[in-house]
Amino acid sequence: MLHHTPDEISERHALKVNPAKTCQPIGAMYAALGVHGCLPHSHGSQGCCSYHRSHLTRHYKEPVMASTSSFTEGASVFGGGPNLRQSLKTIFQVYNPDIVAVHTTCLSETIGDDLPSIIKSAVEDKTVPEGKHVIHCNTPSYVGSHVTGYSNMAAGIVKCLCEKDETESKRINVIPGFTDPSDMRKIKGMLKEMKADFIMFPDTSGVLDTPQTAEYKMYPDGGAKISDIMRAGGSSLSLCLGKWSSEAAGVELEKKCSVPFRVLDLPIGVLATDRFVEAVSQELGLPVPKSIRDERGKLVDMLTDYQQYLYKKKVAIFGDPDTVIPMTEFLLSAGMMPKHIITGTPGKAFEKRIDSMMKEHGHDYEYNCSNSADLFYLHQLIKKEPVDLLIGNTYGKYIAAEENIPFVRFGFPILDRVGHSHFPKAGYMGGMHFISGVINTLLDKMDRETPEDMTMELVA
Amino acid sequence: MTLSILKERKDQVVERINGNETVSCSRESLAGAVSQRACVFCGSRVVLYPIADALHLIHGPIGCAAYTWDIRGALSSGPELHRLSFSTDLRERDIIFGGEKKLEAALDELITRHNPKAAFVYSTCIVGIIGDDLGAVCRKMTELKKIPVIPVQSEGFKGSKREGYFAACKAMFTLVGTGKPENISPVSVNILGDFNLAGEIWIIRDYLKKMGVEVVANITGDGRVDDIRRCHGAALNLVQCSGATLDLAKMMKEKFNIPFLRVSYLGIEDMAESLYIVADHFSHIDKDIEEKTRQLVKTELEQIMPEIKKIREELNGKKAAIYVGGAFKAFSLVKAFRRIGMSVVLVGSQTGTDEDYRELAKITDPGTVIVDDSNPRELSDFIVKKGVDVFVGGVKERPIAYKLGVAFCDHNHERKIALEGFTGMLNFAREIHNSVTSPVWKFHPARLSRVEEKSSEVCCG
Ligand code: SF4
Ligand code: SF4
């Protein structure tokens, strides 16, 4: 399908071809779903909302609910205040959520609707019933990417809900980056094994990975509880897992409630998971339990057993900064050679971080790394310098097919495969799950392409 | 149980009693509703994008382009430029200073690199607000690049998908009549309103070929710009579906005096009927065409009927729900379900018109619920209440169906098996059969409770 990609790389300023990012509101919608009893509300035209819901549904294979202000021409000219007020009325009358999380779209941003004052008046005149919450954030899509939207909503949650609390407590807040419910569940699992006192938000586990119960619940059992989020203002430290998607919430918590924060990578791969476990253990003075050490041991065991299939394999990887960074580190520690590393999300810090990581690992080979890039560019890079493996979201499959490269799906969105909501890539076990996928994919290709009489021994 | 229908929506939901019911429709969605509706841009994009040798550039922020990238995977037998995603990726400074320069640069670069036969430039909400003069940029680039560069006025907030279809038709209409309509048979048609998501248009073309009918242009599945430019040379337009391309047929009738027939390729009756009316239309030119068509239908039916009969026996009495974009598709589906022994107990569409709903009320069974622009709450309530076995809908409806323990058939996206034509009817029957009779449902808690209810009924009886 991608035979229209020329080999020659040309400078492009004016456009994106085959984007490696999408727009802010979808990230905000996802973050809002990580609050229990929350209905995300898209303040704009209905088209955006419909796209965001479809996309999330196709990735998570779960119903995704969100309401929209349904802008029309009138609203676009005279402002969307009345639409938002009518929306809040409808929402509480019909869908009765505990909390509504409003985000903007390009349209309402450009018109310049003033969310705080519209919401304030709706609270004052009881359009928002007592005991219910309406939180909000701005998500102009012409800035940043879907990751920025997640970050803005995470910060919005803090701004609107967290309360300052001076009583001493040894408790951490964990603000996971834009990643799947499986990862959030895994991170919580590790914290529980360590017997840590923690509050995690947003938390989409139990919301977008629900079991079959025969009952359609508009508000599933999972998600961070509002009361817990409020208490996060009294924790002793916030761990922001991902600079792009979670730092802003940490900053906000410090500003509003004087809770200090640390920015860590999402615990993907050996080293990033080590750092996470260590940070928790240090802050709370807790030992690392044997179960976690064992898991680490198993991951290391797998890496050493199969190192010959990974060593020096060239990889192209694309996705969101907060997941691509630790994943690149993971690949490096497995002996692989990330050659092309790109993200669609803007931000020079991405390249800086990858550069310093390469140096730490003592690498001096040439590689390409860019932010704000697209898949057309990645395809051209691969044509110039072929790789042994491609790692990225669903849209990588076109490149993989055109160039016949083994492909492992990773990141957001994955529209055409299942499992990512349930099998984590975070934590040591998640690392095993991911790297076994990589190894098996490489072996599959070897098997396919090795003449019959030379096939590998059955045990590989 | 109490059904959660919004007060304001009461007249958008009716239960069929005598077939004379009307459904209030074509309304704007209520602000704050979890609407399943899409936007104008979505409508235009869906209609135009299968034109495979055209460039499709989305002028707007990245999202609108990202979500529609190869969203329906329309197939092409040649170029596949349409399956790439091009966006001007408007940034903050463009919002402030305008995006015309950027648009120009993007067009310049893309047309030079890809040499398309034409370029469509889609406007999104924000372009409507910042006031870029799409028309002017397109005129300039048309001159500069010597290919038609066509603006599509598809600002999302200007309505729902239907307005988007209209904008798409207007855009295409600027091409019609600009090519030479030479060497076209008097027995010729254009196929309008099929998008070739799974090779459907190839099936239909094959039937028409067997009847001796020349197809001038596919509009738009596996479509080509040059074909569309000369499609005014065809003798007849065949328009499928709820009018995604009906407006184009109307424009062509007015300007070129080309008549059109509304057809449907879904289900045995509608498929055969569609071919027969084409044959009838040309019978004064080709006196054998009616016989050829009868033969074709006969051969095709002989191939599929034995299996369909078997499937029918197993599905008899099962219940279906339909919620699709356009109402015309719903008509055919109601009949197709009847064919395999199933009754339709709920039917609705996002964009049906008054006329459409009258027709639906006529062809459905008493007790069938008819809805316009529904929402998940409402749909799931009806599914449970009516004891639906299979639900036909789009992506957003799928997980709801599965959560409720109801089989699902996606009639829109994500499908690579053709459902049109006679072969398509068999595929449809198989798919419905497979999903209704799959053994996995026996694990489903909803089904367990249904079984329990039944057995307790027996005990009490
Ligand atoms: S911005 Fe407008 S055009 Fe784009 S998806 Fe939203 S409603 Fe549609
Ligand atoms: S980019 Fe803007 S207009 Fe387009 S879908 Fe996203 S929010 Fe809507």
Side-chain angles (χ1 to χ4, degrees):
Chain A
M1 192 186 108
L2 293 189
H3 46 263
H4 294 280
T5 314
D7 302 353
E8 207 44 54
I9 299 180
S10 51
E11 278 288 302
R12 282 187 288 125
H13 305 288
L15 79 155
K16 287 280 180 306
V17 182
N18 301 342
K21 65 166 178 184
T22 183
C23 64
Q24 283 208 41
I26 197 170
M29 194 180 275
Y30 180 60
L33 290 166
V35 178
H36 178 72
C38 181
L39 183 69
H41 179 80
S42 166
H43 184 51
S45 328
Q46 58 198 15
C48 307
C49 183
S50 170
Y51 279 138
H52 303 149
R53 287 176 55 215
S54 293
H55 227 59
L56 290 172
T57 290
R58 291 173 74 199
H59 176 86
Y60 295 106
K61 334 286 174 197
E62 293 277 339
V64 169
M65 291 306 127
S67 50
T68 157
S69 291
S70 288
F71 271 36
T72 53
E73 294 224 62
S76 315
V77 179
F78 303 112
N83 291 55
L84 184 52
R85 295 182 52 83
Q86 171 63 44
S87 295
L88 290 172
K89 202 170 135 210
T90 311
I91 290 168
F92 285 111
Q93 260 174 22
V94 185
Y95 305 111
N96 195 28
D98 298 332
I99 174 167
V100 177
V102 185
H103 63 261
T104 55
T105 66
C106 296
L107 185 55
S108 51
E109 276 298 323
T110 312
I111 299 168
D113 281 343
D114 178 9
L115 293 190
S117 62
I118 303 170
I119 294 171
K120 194 163 160 249
S121 81
V123 170
E124 278 164 9
D125 66 17
K126 302 259 174 349
T127 305
V128 178
E130 222 144 314
K132 303 279 179 176
H133 304 265
V134 178
I135 64 174
H136 63 90
C137 73
N138 291 79
T139 49
S141 308
Y142 40 78
V143 179
S145 74
H146 55 295
V147 177
T148 325
Y150 179 95
S151 163
N152 285 341
M153 184 51 88
I157 292 172
V158 172
K159 245 185 249 175
C160 302
L161 293 177
C162 291
E163 285 167 5
K164 194 166 175 153
D165 175 5
E166 312 254 281
T167 44
E168 263 315 272
S169 67
K170 266 288 175 216
R171 181 180 62 226
I172 53 171
N173 300 324
V174 178
I175 308 162
F178 190 151
T179 192
D180 292 322
S182 50
D183 297 326
M184 300 190 183
R185 188 179 291 284
K186 181 69 204 171
I187 293 167
K188 279 198 298 187
M190 289 195 291
L191 291 164
K192 282 180 199 154
E193 277 175 74
M194 293 179 77
K195 306 211 162 35
D197 188 4
F198 69 96
I199 294 169
M200 182 192 272
F201 70 90
D203 174 10
T204 56
S205 65
V207 180
L208 291 169
D209 59 348
T210 61
Q212 187 56 267
T213 57
E215 198 189 338
Y216 167 60
K217 274 195 181 158
M218 190 144 172
Y219 309 106
D221 297 337
K225 297 214 169 53
I226 297 172
S227 55
D228 285 339
I229 298 173
M230 289 174 159
R231 286 193 308 131
S235 298
S236 52
L237 177 73
S238 302
L239 292 181
C240 310
L241 307 182
K243 182 175 174 53
W244 274 260
S245 39
S246 300
E247 184 174 21
V251 171
E252 200 55 46
L253 256 165
E254 177 162 67
K255 215 163 60 188
K256 189 174 174 194
C257 310
S258 318
V259 182
F261 69 93
R262 274 184 70 185
V263 180
L264 294 175
D265 290 312
L266 266 165
I268 293 175
V270 190
L271 298 172
T273 309
D274 284 352
R275 290 193 294 271
F276 170 72
V277 171
E278 215 179 277
V280 175
S281 144
Q282 223 179 42
E283 171 64 18
L284 301 181
L286 297 167
V288 180
K290 179 166 182 307
S291 58
I292 291 188
R293 279 183 281 133
D294 281 354
E295 257 187 52
R296 185 182 196 276
K298 287 182 201 173
L299 172 57
V300 171
D301 189 52
M302 184 183 272
L303 289 176
T304 49
D305 280 357
Y306 285 85
Q307 45 81 21
Q308 74 268 34
Y309 297 106
L310 301 171
Y311 192 51
K312 296 249 153 126
K313 287 282 185 301
K314 293 192 192 108
V315 189
I317 175 168
F318 69 93
D320 304 337
D322 290 334
T323 45
V324 168
I325 287 169
M327 185 52 83
T328 303
E329 185 185 50
F330 188 25
L331 300 175
L332 285 169
S333 37
M336 304 184 90
M337 288 171 66
K339 269 303 271 182
H340 313 300
I341 308 149
I342 74 153
T343 182
T345 298
K348 274 267 170 255
F350 179 69
E351 277 116 313
K352 280 205 200 109
R353 184 67 204 287
I354 296 283
D355 280 346
S356 70
M357 216 150 77
M358 288 290 188
K359 289 210 185 77
E360 271 163 43
H361 281 79
H363 279 305
D364 51 4
Y365 64 86
E366 296 264 316
Y367 62 90
N368 301 295
C369 175
S370 24
N371 76 83
S372 249
D374 59 27
L375 297 189
F376 185 80
Y377 174 65
L378 178 65
H379 189 192
Q380 291 186 308
L381 289 177
I382 292 174
K383 274 173 174 281
K384 261 185 119 160
E385 290 183 70
V387 291
D388 304 302
L389 178 71
L390 175 65
I391 296 176
N393 69 28
T394 282
Y395 296 109
K397 76 171 169 188
Y398 302 131
I399 299 177
E402 190 70 19
E403 305 300 329
N404 187 26
I405 317 170
F407 174 42
V408 173
R409 284 167 180 75
F410 163 78
F412 176 87
I414 297 174
L415 310 174
D416 59 342
R417 288 294 184 276
V418 293
H420 43 273
S421 301
H422 306 284
F423 306 119
K425 52 193 175 293
Y428 302 116
M429 190 56 86
M432 289 177 76
H433 174 248
F434 184 82
I435 209 73
S436 58
V438 167
I439 294 166
N440 293 341
T441 307
L442 292 172
L443 290 178
D444 279 346
K445 180 161 193 239
M446 268 170 76
D447 275 347
R448 254 195 328 270
E449 294 175 356
T450 314
E452 189 99 37
D453 50 343
M454 289 179 60
T455 39
M456 286 170 294
E457 38 194 313
L458 286 178
V459 283
Chain B
M1 74 184 286
T2 51
L3 286 172
S4 41
I5 301 170
L6 303 183
K7 198 158 75 263
E8 291 81 350
R9 282 188 41 79
K10 279 262 155 61
D11 51 353
Q12 279 171 286
V13 179
V14 302
E15 182 151 352
R16 184 204 184 274
I17 300 162
N18 54 22
N20 295 325
E21 290 76 16
T22 58
V23 180
S24 175
C25 60
S26 301
R27 266 210 213 150
E28 283 158 9
S29 295
L30 188 62
V34 180
S35 169
Q36 306 290 82
R37 269 186 183 168
C39 65
V40 182
F41 162 70
C42 180
S44 294
R45 179 90 168 119
V46 164
V47 170
L48 291 175
Y49 112 107
I51 304 175
D53 55 354
L55 177 81
H56 300 270
L57 173 61
I58 297 164
H59 187 38
I62 199 72
C64 312
Y67 304 118
T68 52
W69 178 8
D70 203 33
I71 191 169
R72 308 214 295 178
L75 300 179
S76 160
S77 53
E80 291 188 304
L81 197 54
H82 68 298
R83 296 184 71 178
L84 273 60
S85 170
F86 301 109
S87 163
T88 46
D89 188 18
L90 290 181
R91 312 304 295 167
E92 199 158 16
R93 56 167 293 130
D94 307 317
I95 304 302
I96 301 166
F97 299 108
E100 290 177 18
K101 283 270 156 319
K102 202 172 189 186
L103 175 59
E104 239 178 82
L107 279 167
D108 186 32
E109 184 189 321
L110 285 172
I111 296 172
T112 306
R113 182 162 64 232
H114 294 291
N115 260 319
K117 294 279 186 187
F120 291 101
V121 181
Y122 300 76
S123 170
T124 57
C125 283
I126 205 157
V127 173
I129 298 294
I130 61 176
D132 279 2
D133 189 346
L134 221 58
V137 176
C138 289
R139 277 194 298 278
K140 182 167 167 199
M141 294 315 282
T142 302
E143 239 167 69
L144 215 65
K145 292 288 172 185
K146 311 279 176 253
I147 61 161
V149 179
I150 305 160
V152 185
Q153 299 295 351
S154 51
E155 294 85 352
F157 58 80
K158 290 194 172 157
S160 72
K161 263 176 165 168
R162 219 175 30 223
E163 286 76 14
Y165 299 153
F166 184 63
C169 288
K170 266 180 38 189
M172 270 191 286
F173 192 57
T174 62
L175 283 174
V176 178
T178 58
K180 292 204 179 70
E182 287 156 3
N183 300 325
I184 293 176
S185 155
V187 182
S188 56
V189 298
N190 298 311
I191 302 179
L192 275 70
D194 192 277
F195 306 113
N196 208 38
L197 304 188
E200 295 87 349
I201 220 156
W202 299 325
I203 298 177
I204 307 305
R205 283 185 73 114
D206 179 55
Y207 295 157
L208 291 167
K209 194 169 154 205
K210 286 180 178 150
M211 291 161 57
V213 179
E214 178 183 340
V215 177
V216 182
N218 302 335
I219 298 171
T220 55
D222 197 13
R224 297 293 181 277
V225 172
D226 285 344
D227 294 344
I228 298 174
R229 298 180 78 149
R230 68 197 280 269
C231 76
H232 58 300
L236 177 67
N237 278 331
L238 301 181
V239 188
Q240 194 191 213
C241 211
S242 261
T245 50
L246 184 62
D247 294 310
L248 181 65
K250 286 181 180 161
M251 294 173 203
M252 285 174 72
K253 178 153 199 298
E254 192 158 301
K255 183 156 175 197
F256 301 102
N257 204 19
I258 303 173
F260 64 86
L261 294 172
R262 291 191 77 168
V263 292
S264 167
Y265 310 129
L266 290 173
I268 293 173
E269 285 82 2
D270 285 1
M271 183 66 238
E273 176 63 20
S274 298
L275 297 180
Y276 285 137
I277 57 173
V278 174
D280 181 54
H281 183 87
F282 289 117
S283 59
H284 66 286
I285 309 176
D286 177 353
K287 53 184 183 346
D288 300 330
I289 193 169
E290 290 186 302
E291 183 49 33
K292 275 185 281 186
T293 309
R294 264 192 295 277
Q295 271 311 320
L296 167 78
V297 172
K298 187 160 167 265
T299 329
E300 292 289 331
L301 285 182
E302 275 165 8
Q303 277 170 26
I304 63 165
M305 279 323 279
E307 194 176 333
I308 292 207
K309 281 213 182 91
K310 247 180 69 199
I311 289 175
R312 186 190 166 97
E313 276 161 29
E314 288 181 44
L315 291 182
N316 212 353
K318 300 259 193 243
K319 294 175 196 159
I322 300 170
Y323 188 74
V324 285
F328 215 65
K329 189 186 266 173
F331 301 161
S332 293
L333 284 169
V334 169
K335 290 182 236 172
F337 271 116
R338 217 168 260 152
R339 212 358 114 165
I340 50 174
M342 295 178 64
S343 61
V344 173
V345 291
L346 165 71
V347 55
S349 87
Q350 289 174 28
T351 55
T353 60
D354 185 41
E355 199 185 328
D356 293 335
Y357 288 115
R358 279 177 208 276
E359 175 71 19
L360 268 181
K362 243 181 254 152
I363 62 171
T364 47
D365 300 324
T368 301
V369 173
I370 304 173
V371 295
D372 173 58
D373 182 28
S374 192
N375 56 61
R377 242 292 158 75
E378 213 172 82
L379 289 173
S380 63
D381 282 354
F382 280 122
I383 288 172
V384 172
K385 184 180 160 225
K386 293 276 180 184
V388 167
D389 294 287
V390 66
F391 184 20
V392 180
V395 268
K396 285 193 295 286
E397 285 82 47
R398 179 205 300 268
I400 300 175
Y402 286 162
K403 279 276 173 273
L404 297 170
V406 171
F408 185 80
C409 167
D410 187 331
H411 218 276
N412 236 338
H413 305 258
E414 294 175 15
R415 79 163 24 269
K416 281 289 153 262
I417 300 169
L419 296 185
E420 291 178 9
F422 300 104
T423 1
M425 178 64 198
L426 182 57
N427 291 338
F428 175 72
R430 279 181 186 157
E431 188 167 325
I432 297 294
H433 178 259
N434 290 352
S435 43
V436 171
T437 58
S438 165
V440 299
W441 301 118
K442 72 169 179 283
F443 299 112
H444 200 291
R447 295 299 175 106
L448 290 178
S449 59
R450 271 199 213 178
V451 173
E452 276 159 22
E453 267 169 41
K454 257 195 202 146
S455 50
S456 63
E457 272 168 33
V458 174
C459 295
C460 306

